[in-house]
Amino acid sequence: MRLSVSPLLLALAALALPALAAPPRNNAPVVASAAELAVYVPPSMLTSNTYLPRINMWVEPGKALGDALDEVGRRYFPALHVVPAGKDERYGLLLDLAPKWSTEGGKLTLTVAYDVYGADGKKLNSGAAEQSTALKYGNFGASAQVVTRQAVQQVMAQVQGALQPDPVKFPATGATAKIDLTALVDRSKPLRTGTAFFVNKDGQLLTAAHVARNCVAMEAHQDGATFPVKARAASDLLDVAVLDSGKPRAAALALRQGQAIELGESITSVGYPLKGVLGDSPNVTRGNVSASRGPRGSMGMFQFSAPIQPGNSGGPIVSDNGELLGVAVSTLNAESMAKLGLIPQNVNFALDGRYVAMFLQREKVPFETLRAQGAGSMQTANQAALSNTVQLNCYQ
């Protein structure tokens, strides 16, 4: 549930042969511009990598793109600043890159669409560059390096040719720390999706930390409405995060008073699994608390049997009295277990409500508790969970 692999990496993993890299084409003269250039690249594109055990090799297209900007881009714009970055820099032009990898017809192809903005936010130019190399024999890393250098060179040459930039025409009046990165995000396809739920009347939500990690922008969807949310605090150790929506509510999910769970008690899980395969309506499954502990070596988890899928991460686990018992965070990897001759069935894990309460108290996030009254019912659980659960999309 925590692994996200890019289409490029999946395609490379399916290929039987690695690639032979060709030398980069660099026939056009390079004229360095003194204009200050900020370059936005989706952070996930700069960090993408995976290990291919089939050929005992790491594939790092993200590193190749970062190297190309550093080594080729700075030949055209020596004052080039990749954003987001820790240091605030001045800029006169902002280049928004949208890279897309593909492997078809025995070729590795990188297409880079781009927009150029002035420091005042006005769009000045748009274009695209595309470069390919044959996948034959050699190694994938060299092929990615070649293609990215060629594509970055083409983009930089096009920008220079279209705008003839210099510091007088485009003075460095912008500050990279003040760039609204959410305005640059491509929302056509999320980086990852998950589930979140309202935990208080102030409109704050809880989700799994691995769903909200490193998102440039996040959106929540509920009952046909879409609204932005922002990360407020997270614990990677517990795998939980709190988000701000700015949408006050009349009610929210309340934690069980005392946060104790009972082995065997009935629970409801609500989430938005398998986006793109299933519909956008919430998915409700039923099960039981199976064990009071999680996987060996884990912290603060309990096991439950309600079926979940990728996309359920961050969803609430609710009792028949409508109390929040925990947050869905992981499941056993069926493929890995099958290699050991084991076929797990509905072995899933949630962060225990006791640890949820401690996290919220530490972060000074308000929450309510509920004292169980009577045996409860499936209808009560469904109403409490469904009315407070949202689909969460993480972009770039």
Side-chain angles (χ1 to χ4, degrees), residues 190-211:
L191 175 64
R192 71 180 75 93
T193 65
T195 304
F197 58 92
F198 289 102
V199 73
N200 58 39
K201 294 178 182 178
D202 294 338
Q204 291 172 310
L205 302 109
L206 278 183
T207 189
H210 71 267
V211 175

Side-chain angles (χ1 to χ4, degrees), residues 6-9 11-12 15 19 25 45 61 98-113 129-135 140 143-151 154:
S6 73
L8 166 68
L9 301 180
L12 290 178
L15 293 170
R25 296 186 293 270
M45 296 297 297
K100 182 180 179 182
W101 293 91
S102 65
T103 53
E104 294 181 2
K107 292 183 178 181
L108 174 63
T109 300
L110 174 61
T111 303
V112 183
E130 182 174 293
Q131 295 292 333
S132 301
T133 190
L135 289 169
F140 292 122
S143 294
Q145 291 279 347
V146 168
V147 170
T148 52
R149 279 165 167 74
Q150 292 173 350
Q154 187 177 349

